Amino acid sequence: MKKFKPLIVLASILFALTLVIPAVLVLPFSDGKASGKLGEELARGKNTPSKTVASTTKDPAVEVSVFRSAKSAIEKVELEDYLVGVVSAEMPADFNDEALKAQALAARTYIVNRLTTKSQLGMPKGVNADVTDTIIHQVYKSDAEQRRDWGKDYAWKKKKVLTAVRATSGQILTYKGKPITATFFSTSNGYTENSEDFWNGEIPYLRSVPSPWDKGTEKFIYKQEIPVSQFEARLGVRVGSGGTIGKIISRTEGKRVAQVNFNGKILTGKEIREKLDLRSTDFSWERKGGSIMITTKGFGHGVGMSQYGANGMAAEGKSYKDIVKHYYKGVQITSAENMLATVTARK
């Protein structure tokens, strides 16, 4: 297994997240007759114990400085309030309790990792804060924003998220004693991705695993239609009048598109997703008149924990510990007490 450099991996992740992709023009579905589609021609034989904390108490009194992007101001928030704000922003509060706990554990792992390494990756120039409140790091909503967005459901949703955060108090995910990069996304295509199939660097705990719980959920299948002219312009290809519009020549272990050949021009699935602003790299398409109908499976990069998969596992009676150990291979649930004590002393 090849080695990787964590900083390079994190930089690649941040670069991928901060790309600004022009929106694809979405048109009403046409009634045109299908006259060409994405083909596939794959090459044969080639495929591209620490102590667990159990608590319902508050996290230690560690302060997190959050750069509020809309205000261009820094807010200092206690760790527990920060985690509640992240979970409320990143996962629907009506998800199963165990799924919310898994999300809380991933969120705490992320911020503890960032605090202990004093990372400034992704921070705006001249801003001295721990994190932003955007997808560059973790999306965060203040209590006032939660009240605004939840309205009459604020009380029960707030209590549910707070309970999930406190049920995992003091816990983080580690691999060989170090906090992991606990990436997550909305919905899989039935499998998660290996880290190196989306970002640079092979990370041992971010391996492709089955995630059948996503199938049939609200974000599993998505269809959009764009003009042939935009399809060609964005990808820099010519569709022509043949029966095949490009050929898939390799797939990832997570069953997503790795490479497509357009008459000698090879594009990666990731490049196509970014250029066409698709929901995932598991896609297919066909031409209908002057438009291309594109169908995607899943929503997000596919690396790490699937949120809808986590909710499905929880619905089957799996605990948050079962969930995180399924999506992050070989990890341990560890006390963050010593790490947080170091952060508190430093601040």
Side-chain angles (χ1 to χ4, degrees), residues 34-40 231 239 241-248 260 262 284-288 292-293:
S35 57
K37 62 182 180 180
L38 175 62
E40 186 157 345
F231 183 91
V239 167
S241 57
T244 301
I245 305 172
K247 286 184 179 179
I248 299 170
V260 178
F262 293 93
S284 61
W285 56 61
E286 62 181 9
R287 180 175 48 216
K288 287 192 173 182
I292 304 290
M293 171 84 80

Side-chain angles (χ1 to χ4, degrees), residues 125-164:
K125 187 176 181 180
V127 174
N128 184 24
D130 297 318
V131 285
T132 67
D133 59 359
T134 71
I135 60 171
I136 294 174
H137 300 120
Q138 297 188 118
V139 182
Y140 165 81
K141 290 182 180 180
S142 67
D143 182 73
E145 290 166 325
Q146 294 161 34
R147 287 180 182 274
R148 178 199 67 198
D149 294 344
W150 285 338
K152 62 182 178 60
D153 294 323
Y154 168 81
W156 71 265
K157 287 186 174 182
K158 180 79 171 188
K159 181 179 179 181
K160 192 174 181 185
V161 172
L162 177 60
T163 299

Side-chain angles (χ1 to χ4, degrees), residues 78-149:
E78 283 199 11
L79 178 59
E80 180 178 278
D81 293 333
Y82 173 73
L83 293 173
V84 170
V86 170
V87 175
S88 68
E90 294 281 15
M91 179 175 275
D94 57 1
F95 268 25
N96 191 287
D97 292 342
E98 296 302 307
L100 290 167
K101 292 176 190 176
Q103 185 70 59
L105 186 51
R108 186 182 296 100
T109 300
Y110 180 89
I111 191 61
V112 169
N113 190 3
R114 194 162 175 89
L115 290 172
T116 54
T117 59
K118 296 183 284 187
S119 174
Q120 287 294 295
L121 286 171
M123 294 302 303
K125 187 176 181 180
V127 174
N128 184 24
D130 297 318
V131 285
T132 67
D133 59 359
T134 71
I135 60 171
I136 294 174
H137 300 120
Q138 297 188 118
V139 182
Y140 165 81
K141 290 182 180 180
S142 67
D143 182 73
E145 290 166 325
Q146 294 161 34
R147 287 180 182 274
R148 178 199 67 198
D149 294 344

